[in-house]
Amino acid sequence: MRFNRLFTTGMALTVVGAIGLTACSSQKEAARQATEKLADTAKATGQAALAPAVQPVLDLLKQGEGEVKAGNLGGAVATLGGFKGLWEKAAPVIQPLAGDKWASINTAANTVLSTFDKGATPDVAAASAAISGLIGPLSALIGK
């Protein structure tokens, strides 16, 4: 009799445990799905925030690139004289959203800054390389 009672109690605990594990697995799966959805939403929101920060930088770089290609190096230096102020506003938005691409973007931006710094007189090759070195990664970042 005592064995039956112990056996019944043991079976009941086993069933309750199995139900609990099933519920726990379902909760873990639901939490995983919610986390993935939140990450996707954050990524989409981040991408939406990137374009308004990146596009003015790209526009300025492309304007400077046009000046260099037209042989107007002085015009490119004048155009990109405004890069520092624009970059100081854009970089804090871009950095957290760029992920592992940030290091190369920041290095390219610093190259543009040093190449077109006040009083700088870059040659055509250096100017062109600095500009295209940042246009590439920024364009890729926003999918252009």
Side-chain angles (χ1 to χ4, degrees), residues 12-135:
L13 288 174
T14 301
V15 169
V16 168
I19 291 170
L21 286 175
T22 302
C24 187
S25 294
S26 296
Q27 288 172 343
K28 284 181 183 177
E29 179 61 21
R32 184 192 64 74
Q33 288 175 353
T35 301
E36 282 182 8
K37 187 172 184 175
L38 184 60
D40 290 343
T41 301
K43 185 177 178 181
T45 302
Q47 289 296 338
L50 268 175
V54 171
Q55 196 57 56
V57 176
L58 284 174
D59 291 345
L60 185 69
L61 290 168
K62 288 177 182 178
Q63 183 180 350
E65 183 178 50
E67 295 283 353
V68 170
K69 287 180 179 178
N72 185 3
L73 199 53
V77 170
T79 296
L80 290 167
F83 178 78
K84 183 177 182 178
L86 186 59
W87 185 247
E88 287 173 350
K89 292 177 184 174
V93 176
I94 297 168
Q95 182 179 3
L97 301 172
D100 61 351
K101 297 175 183 130
W102 172 249
S104 63
I105 290 170
N106 193 45
T107 298
N110 286 330
T111 300
V112 171
L113 287 168
S114 64
T115 301
F116 294 97
D117 201 14
K118 273 191 174 174
T121 54
D123 62 23
V124 171
S128 183
I131 292 169
S132 64
L134 185 53
I135 286 176

